[in-house]
Amino acid sequence: MSQAEGPLVVGVDSSTQSTKALVVDAATGQVVASGQARHDVSSGPGRESDPRQWWDALCEALRQCGDAAREAAAVSIGGQQHGLVTLDERGEPVRPALLWNDVRSAPQTRRLTEELGGAKFWAERTGSVPAASFTVTKWAWLAEHEPDAVRATKAVRLPHDYLTERLTGQGTTDRGDASGTGWWASATEAYDEEILGHVGLDPALLPRVVRPGEVAGTVREHHDLPFSKGTLVAPGTGDNAAAALGLGLRPGTPVMSLGTSGTVYAVSRHRPTDPTGTVAGFADAHGDWLPLACTLNCTLAVDRVAALLGLDREAVEPAAGVTFLPYLDGERTPNLPDASGLLLGLRHDTTGGQLLQAAYDGAVHALLGALDLVLDADADPSAPLLLIGGGARGTAWQQTVRRLSGRPVQVPEAKELVALGAAAQAAGLLTGEDPAAVARRWDTARGPVLEAVERDEAALARISGVLSDAAPLLARGPADR
């Protein structure tokens, strides 16, 4: 048996490229065991994964946790947002899941926005203007391109829903993840029948939305995981909402997450409705809101540039007038789904390190451009920016964010905040606490604060100018260039 002070809980982060599991002491927040297993994402024009490999990865990650996982009293799943999982009558995938960074639905996104009242309608109804990342646009793409798959679909789920259902046998989701579909109305906190009818999706195919603090179910008898039958299963949520729980966020604290995608967000008491589409008006996992802006190109894009140059990702030099917009997968913020990378200012004496720094600058510029729109008007502009995600511990990322934001930057020591947030949600089932309060008790946001430096206004203005001038070119599809 473990030497934990309190009951053990399991928090899971099923992300784009891997699944991580943490076994956590609910009393102290101490991680007593962990495991991780990778899964594959297709290359080419789409980004797809077989949901069954997420389950296999979860099984492997928990196997690595050993006996500690068998002692867990509750479990919760945090998962990548927006992915479209289509299941047949046996609960098996009809086809690979369309992931958040699959932007093939850009034409359907534009058409849906126009057909249903324009951007203002969508912002007021769902809290967000659809982007090609959103699940509703992926369903519209599937209906247009693969009607046989739509006819075979008997249940529609998000990635975290799929794993939770494999645990409990019941189709459930939560308000945080549901708010990223485009068919959940933030004003009424219910599925929007008008939108569902327009895209031809029967609401009976969707999971039940579990309330914050409600038990989603218990682990069923026939499963492949080291949990006892009857282990409590929390609602789970999307990855950003889980990370917000993991940090114990209070309203107004800004967060920048540097992962495969980049995000900026903050908890708010006010329901967001941004008709420009820059800010997605997501719900959080415990009753408030999580206005968020997301970029498709972050650490993966910068690492790709480093690999092309044959450089270590830290081998940066001052950019010296070079501008690089690293929109290697299209882009969501700014809304340029058909874009590709753009480089301006290359000269004979430009070095690889300067090109690499320019890629960092371009990625961070896109996030900072949305930060002021994410924060409420009364937010403290001098508050430290919490820097999380896989890139947050990289010196080049830290220094780029400091230089371009002009803010102090705090880097939490706690790792795997999505999984920790899921663990806090599971712990809340046992203690009756708000999961964010659980995370604050665990002191998950503790970490060094890097002092503010003077904001590099010249670099910001240069990048903004290039983006403005190049926007018509970037908006063209590859066949139009």
Side-chain angles (χ1 to χ4, degrees):
M1 296 294 288
S2 75
Q3 300 301 311
E5 295 183 19
L8 296 181
V9 294
V10 169
V12 174
D13 173 12
S14 183
S15 65
T16 312
Q17 300 181 63
S18 69
T19 293
K20 310 173 190 74
L22 303 181
V23 183
V24 180
D25 183 342
T28 65
Q30 178 186 359
V31 176
V32 301
S34 65
Q36 178 173 353
R38 293 189 60 80
H39 26 80
D40 298 325
V41 178
S42 68
S43 57
R47 295 291 184 272
E48 302 181 352
S49 288
D50 183 345
R52 287 168 291 207
Q53 68 176 326
W54 304 337
W55 178 257
D56 293 341
L58 176 60
C59 293
E60 172 57 23
L62 285 166
R63 186 195 65 76
Q64 295 171 20
C65 292
D67 292 340
R70 294 182 174 83
E71 300 180 38
V75 56
S76 180
I77 309 289
Q80 55 179 310
Q81 289 184 263
H82 304 308
L84 176 63
V85 180
T86 52
L87 304 176
D88 63 18
E89 68 279 354
R90 297 174 295 112
E92 293 295 324
V94 171
R95 68 176 315 285
L98 297 170
L99 303 185
W100 61 272
N101 54 348
D102 187 317
V103 295
R104 286 177 290 178
S105 63
Q108 290 74 26
T109 302
R110 290 187 284 267
R111 190 177 70 239
L112 284 177
T113 302
E114 294 167 0
E115 290 174 350
L116 280 177
K120 189 173 186 292
F121 166 91
W122 285 90
E124 291 179 350
R125 187 72 71 90
T126 71
S128 305
V129 180
S133 302
F134 281 40
T135 326
V136 67
T137 71
K138 300 182 188 307
W139 177 261
W141 181 91
L142 194 66
E144 184 173 331
H145 291 273
E146 299 181 19
D148 288 345
V150 166
R151 284 189 288 271
T153 297
K154 304 305 178 185
V156 172
R157 301 291 184 260
L158 297 166
H160 113 259
D161 307 343
Y162 171 78
L163 291 173
T164 300
E165 188 167 0
R166 290 285 301 260
L167 285 172
T168 66
Q170 302 176 47
T172 61
T173 191
D174 89 302
R175 69 191 294 270
D177 220 0
S179 67
T181 60
W183 55 59
W184 184 86
S186 65
T188 59
E189 301 211 18
Y191 291 129
D192 191 299
E193 293 189 4
E194 181 179 0
I195 293 173
L196 290 171
H198 189 78
V199 299
L201 178 54
D202 183 350
L205 303 187
L206 300 177
R208 179 174 70 91
V209 182
V210 178
R211 298 185 304 274
E214 183 183 350
V215 176
T218 58
V219 173
R220 56 182 173 173
E221 185 172 3
H222 300 293
H223 59 83
D224 303 319
L225 301 182
F227 296 131
S228 302
K229 179 184 177 183
T231 300
L232 296 180
V233 181
T237 193
D239 49 6
N240 288 296
L245 287 183
L247 288 165
L249 280 191
R250 299 183 189 275
T253 301
V255 178
M256 179 181 289
S257 178
L258 303 172
T260 303
S261 66
T263 57
V264 286
Y265 57 84
V267 170
S268 175
R269 305 279 192 219
H270 312 291
R271 184 174 72 92
T273 55
D274 176 17
T276 73
T278 301
V279 177
F282 296 149
D284 76 356
H286 66 101
D288 288 324
W289 302 94
L290 197 72
L292 177 149
C294 176
T295 63
L296 297 183
N297 298 279
C298 195
T299 59
L300 199 63
V302 171
D303 285 353
R304 178 58 179 156
V305 173
L308 287 171
L309 296 170
L311 295 175
D312 182 271
R313 63 171 64 97
E314 297 289 344
V316 295
E317 301 174 49
V322 183
T323 301
F324 196 168
L325 304 179
Y327 303 160
L328 307 190
D329 282 321
E331 191 44 84
R332 172 170 162 178
T333 304
N335 186 24
L336 296 165
D338 296 319
S340 57
L342 185 146
L343 174 63
L344 183 70
L346 186 65
R347 296 187 180 277
H348 278 291
D349 59 353
T350 303
T351 68
Q354 290 170 340
L355 289 180
L356 182 56
Q357 180 61 67
Y360 277 98
D361 286 0
V364 171
H365 172 272
L367 289 167
L368 290 176
L371 182 60
D372 289 341
L373 298 175
V374 163
L375 293 170
D376 290 335
D378 57 356
D380 181 0
S382 64
L385 178 59
L386 290 177
L387 198 63
I388 65 171
R393 297 175 192 280
T395 301
W397 281 110
Q398 292 175 2
Q399 298 309 318
T400 302
V401 172
R402 290 177 73 201
R403 179 173 54 83
L404 295 184
S405 72
R407 283 179 174 267
V409 170
Q410 183 171 2
V411 184
E413 295 172 357
K415 300 179 180 178
E416 310 302 349
L417 285 160
V418 173
L420 275 176
Q425 193 183 57
L429 288 184
L430 303 178
T431 65
E433 294 175 89
D434 175 352
V438 171
R440 289 193 291 271
R441 178 163 55 77
W442 292 349
D443 199 17
T444 53
R446 181 185 66 250
V449 177
L450 308 176
E451 293 183 2
V453 298
E454 184 178 359
R455 187 170 175 170
D456 189 346
E457 300 289 357
L460 291 168
R462 185 183 72 251
I463 299 168
S464 295
V466 171
L467 176 58
S468 177
D469 292 343
L473 175 63
L474 292 168
R476 299 178 191 171
D480 300 326
R481 295 195 184 109

